[in-house]
Each structure stands twice: as structure tokens, then as C-alpha cells.
Amino acid sequence: MKLTTVPEPLLEFGTGTHICPRTGIEHLGVYDKRDELRRTELRIGVVGRGEGVDLLDDWLERCRNGIERKTESKLLNLFRAFGGINQDYGFLTRIINSPQYTRTIKKSDISAVVKLASRAERVGKAVELYYEQIRFLAENRSVDVIVCVMPNEMFDSITTTSESDDDDSTGWRRSAASARPMTWRAANMVIAWRLPSNRWSGSRRAYRCCWSRRRSFSRTP
């Protein structure tokens, strides 16, 4: 058996090429910076309970300001710093979130979903609960991304099964949860966001999320 190592392809960025997505974005800018019609704002719609919305606001602020590298690790290229999302660095864009782009879900409605006996019913009702608010934002607000902030008790209720649950039915409803909101083209993406277990445990995930924004780079032929 003969083994051949295939060279990793270069990635094309705004002003050049590089092998590493993160380094390329940081020093060369995102690929679509070449497009003179590109937007320089990312409007974020939010659906969730008040506490979760506040935590998401704090998390987005950390995304704007940047994240320090993981100092206790010797893998400097793996756990590198992130300079933040702003119009002067990396993604060359501005995150906008506002109460006008936010739809609040009542705690009583969430409790009603959690109390349902069947997981299939819980998932179905959770979809309906968020669906109406997603539809309002998609039809009445100019947003690019909609983030559904899910309280931990609801997340646990729709991801925990019992012997009485019907797996086939649950699987179908889970598919409905991800596919149904995509009937609108106003928003590019709908994201489910679970509350972190502590105030800043999501900072490293924020780093990964920020680097993974679409159209950041393009593979060269």
C-alpha cells in the first residue's frame, strides 16, 4: 500500500490566500470584502425569555470586543485571541441587536410546554411557540439572523426521553423544528442558543461562532 499526502488547499480571502481560516480572516479580511455591494451590518433578531435575552446581549457584546487567547495552553495557534466583530477588523461588519428586533416569550408559556407528558408534544408545542415569534421578525423586521434563546428547563424537556415516547414521531417533529422557519427568506439563518451554565462559559463558543460566519473565505481552485 502506498500512501500519498495531499497538500491542504489554500483559502482565498479579501486580499490574498492563506492555509488557516482564522489567520486569513484576521490579516486578510473576509472574502466578500471584494464585493462593493457587501453589507457592513449584521442585524440579529432574538426570540426568548427576558433573562436569556439579557445574557445573549452580554455574549454579543463580548463578540464585539474580542476574546483573549487561552493563556494556559501551549497550543497558541489553536487557542488564539479573537479581535472582535467590528467594521475595522476581521469580518469588517457591525453587529446590531435591539429591543425592536426582540420578541419575548412568557415564562408561563414555557412552563406549559415543560409540563406536557410526551416529548413529542413538548417538541411540537415548543416549535409552535417560537415559530410565531420568528414569523413576526421575518415578516416585519429587517433581520439577517434570528437567534432563539432556549431556557435550560425547556431544552432539557425536549431532549430528554422516557419509555413512553415515540422515537419516530419525535424525530419527525425535530425535523419540523429546524425546517419550518425556513419558509421565509427574510432571514439567512435561524439559530438555537442554550443558556450557558455560568455567566461567561460561552466565551470560547462565541469565538468559534464568530469565526464560522458564512462567506468568510473561498477555496482556491
Side-chain angles (χ1 to χ4, degrees):
M1 178 182 294
K2 183 179 180 180
L3 300 179
T4 303
T5 302
V6 179
E8 189 169 349
L10 290 175
L11 304 175
E12 190 172 5
F13 298 89
T15 59
T17 61
H18 200 280
I19 198 171
C20 174
R22 289 178 288 185
T23 302
I25 292 173
E26 181 178 4
H27 296 289
L28 304 173
V30 288
Y31 177 74
D32 66 355
K33 70 177 292 185
R34 307 176 181 194
D35 185 356
E36 62 180 13
L37 299 179
R38 77 183 295 270
R39 295 180 58 181
T40 57
E41 296 178 345
L42 183 65
R43 295 181 175 88
I44 299 180
V46 182
V47 179
R49 204 169 69 193
E51 176 194 10
V53 173
D54 291 341
L55 288 173
L56 178 62
D57 288 343
D58 292 341
W59 185 80
L60 290 174
E61 188 61 27
R62 284 182 64 84
C63 291
R64 293 186 183 96
N65 296 333
I67 299 170
E68 296 181 358
R69 71 176 183 87
K70 199 171 183 179
T71 55
E72 64 271 20
S73 175
K74 296 181 180 180
L75 304 175
L76 301 183
N77 288 329
L78 181 61
F79 298 108
R80 59 189 302 156
F82 174 69
I85 298 181
N86 55 67
Q87 292 177 315
D88 301 317
Y89 170 88
F91 292 109
L92 308 177
T93 192
R94 180 165 67 108
I95 294 178
I96 300 177
N97 58 307
S98 164
Q100 296 182 6
Y101 298 155
T102 301
R103 301 292 291 176
T104 303
I105 293 178
K106 297 179 181 179
K107 184 176 181 179
S108 57
D109 292 335
I110 294 174
S111 298
V113 172
V114 172
K115 292 177 181 178
L116 293 172
S118 167
R119 180 188 174 198
E121 289 182 301
R122 294 193 297 271
V123 173
K125 290 297 183 182
V127 170
E128 293 177 6
L129 188 61
Y130 279 85
Y131 176 85
E132 293 303 321
Q133 306 305 326
I134 293 171
R135 183 175 66 176
F136 178 90
L137 289 174
E139 293 180 349
N140 298 283
R141 298 290 185 269
S142 179
V143 295
D144 303 298
V145 177
I146 298 175
V147 180
C148 298
V149 183
M150 186 171 295
N152 289 333
E153 62 267 33
M154 175 175 280
F155 179 88
D156 293 338
S157 73
I158 65 176
T159 57
T160 303
T161 60
S162 64
E163 294 181 356
S164 61
D165 288 323
D166 185 344
D167 290 338
D168 292 337
S169 173
T170 300
W172 179 87
R173 290 181 181 273
R174 287 183 67 185
S175 298
S178 60
R180 192 175 182 186
M182 298 308 292
T183 57
W184 299 291
R185 301 304 177 190
N188 292 329
M189 189 183 303
V190 177
I191 302 172
W193 192 81
R194 184 185 183 186
L195 297 183
S197 56
N198 61 65
R199 187 173 178 80
W200 296 124
S201 67
S203 61
R204 186 54 52 177
R205 280 175 290 174
Y207 173 94
R208 292 196 295 267
C209 177
C210 292
W211 282 121
S212 65
R213 185 186 173 201
R214 295 187 296 180
R215 293 201 66 193
S216 297
F217 56 84
S218 174
R219 289 189 181 277
T220 58

Short mmCIF file of all heavy atoms in Angstrom, two decimals, residues 31 38 70 76 123-124 177 184 203 208 212:
data_model
loop_
_atom_site.label_atom_id
_atom_site.label_comp_id
_atom_site.label_asym_id
_atom_site.label_seq_id
_atom_site.Cartn_x
_atom_site.Cartn_y
_atom_site.Cartn_z
N TYR A 31 -13.64 37.13 2.53
CA TYR A 31 -13.61 37.02 1.08
C TYR A 31 -14.51 38.06 0.40
O TYR A 31 -14.16 38.66 -0.60
CB TYR A 31 -14.03 35.61 0.67
CG TYR A 31 -14.11 35.40 -0.82
CD1 TYR A 31 -12.95 35.29 -1.60
CD2 TYR A 31 -15.35 35.32 -1.46
CE1 TYR A 31 -13.03 35.10 -2.96
CE2 TYR A 31 -15.43 35.13 -2.82
CZ TYR A 31 -14.27 35.02 -3.57
OH TYR A 31 -14.34 34.84 -4.93
N ARG A 38 -21.33 44.69 -0.68
CA ARG A 38 -21.48 43.91 0.55
C ARG A 38 -22.03 44.78 1.67
O ARG A 38 -21.74 45.98 1.75
CB ARG A 38 -20.13 43.29 0.98
CG ARG A 38 -19.18 44.29 1.63
CD ARG A 38 -17.85 43.64 1.97
NE ARG A 38 -17.98 42.62 2.98
CZ ARG A 38 -17.89 42.84 4.29
NH1 ARG A 38 -17.70 44.07 4.75
NH2 ARG A 38 -17.99 41.85 5.14
N LYS A 70 -6.24 31.66 25.07
CA LYS A 70 -6.21 30.76 26.21
C LYS A 70 -4.78 30.66 26.71
O LYS A 70 -3.96 29.89 26.20
CB LYS A 70 -6.75 29.38 25.79
CG LYS A 70 -7.19 28.50 26.92
CD LYS A 70 -7.90 27.27 26.37
CE LYS A 70 -8.43 26.39 27.48
NZ LYS A 70 -9.14 25.19 26.94
N LEU A 76 -0.77 27.70 20.82
CA LEU A 76 -1.08 29.11 20.57
C LEU A 76 -1.90 29.30 19.30
O LEU A 76 -2.76 30.19 19.24
CB LEU A 76 0.22 29.91 20.49
CG LEU A 76 1.11 29.87 21.74
CD1 LEU A 76 2.31 30.77 21.55
CD2 LEU A 76 0.32 30.29 22.98
N VAL A 123 -41.92 18.96 22.06
CA VAL A 123 -41.19 19.48 20.92
C VAL A 123 -42.12 20.23 19.98
O VAL A 123 -41.83 21.34 19.52
CB VAL A 123 -40.46 18.35 20.16
CG1 VAL A 123 -39.85 18.87 18.86
CG2 VAL A 123 -39.39 17.73 21.03
N GLY A 124 -43.29 19.64 19.70
CA GLY A 124 -44.26 20.27 18.81
C GLY A 124 -44.73 21.62 19.32
O GLY A 124 -44.79 22.60 18.58
N ALA A 177 -38.92 21.29 13.57
CA ALA A 177 -38.41 22.43 14.34
C ALA A 177 -37.33 23.17 13.57
O ALA A 177 -37.22 24.39 13.66
CB ALA A 177 -37.86 21.94 15.68
N TRP A 184 -39.41 31.39 5.22
CA TRP A 184 -39.19 32.80 4.95
C TRP A 184 -37.77 33.01 4.47
O TRP A 184 -36.84 32.37 4.94
CB TRP A 184 -39.43 33.64 6.21
CG TRP A 184 -40.81 33.50 6.71
CD1 TRP A 184 -41.95 33.96 6.14
CD2 TRP A 184 -41.21 32.82 7.90
NE1 TRP A 184 -43.02 33.62 6.90
CE2 TRP A 184 -42.62 32.93 7.98
CE3 TRP A 184 -40.53 32.15 8.91
CZ2 TRP A 184 -43.35 32.39 9.03
CZ3 TRP A 184 -41.25 31.61 9.94
CH2 TRP A 184 -42.64 31.72 9.99
N SER A 203 -17.86 32.07 26.32
CA SER A 203 -16.93 32.94 25.62
C SER A 203 -16.14 32.21 24.55
O SER A 203 -15.94 32.71 23.46
CB SER A 203 -15.97 33.60 26.62
OG SER A 203 -15.21 32.63 27.30
N ARG A 208 -15.66 30.54 18.53
CA ARG A 208 -15.86 29.61 17.41
C ARG A 208 -16.98 30.09 16.50
O ARG A 208 -16.90 29.98 15.28
CB ARG A 208 -16.14 28.21 17.94
CG ARG A 208 -14.95 27.57 18.63
CD ARG A 208 -15.15 26.08 18.78
NE ARG A 208 -16.25 25.75 19.65
CZ ARG A 208 -16.11 25.52 20.94
NH1 ARG A 208 -14.94 25.62 21.51
NH2 ARG A 208 -17.16 25.21 21.67
N SER A 212 -16.97 31.28 12.34
CA SER A 212 -17.65 30.39 11.40
C SER A 212 -18.71 31.10 10.55
O SER A 212 -19.48 30.44 9.88
CB SER A 212 -18.33 29.25 12.17
OG SER A 212 -19.36 29.74 13.00
#
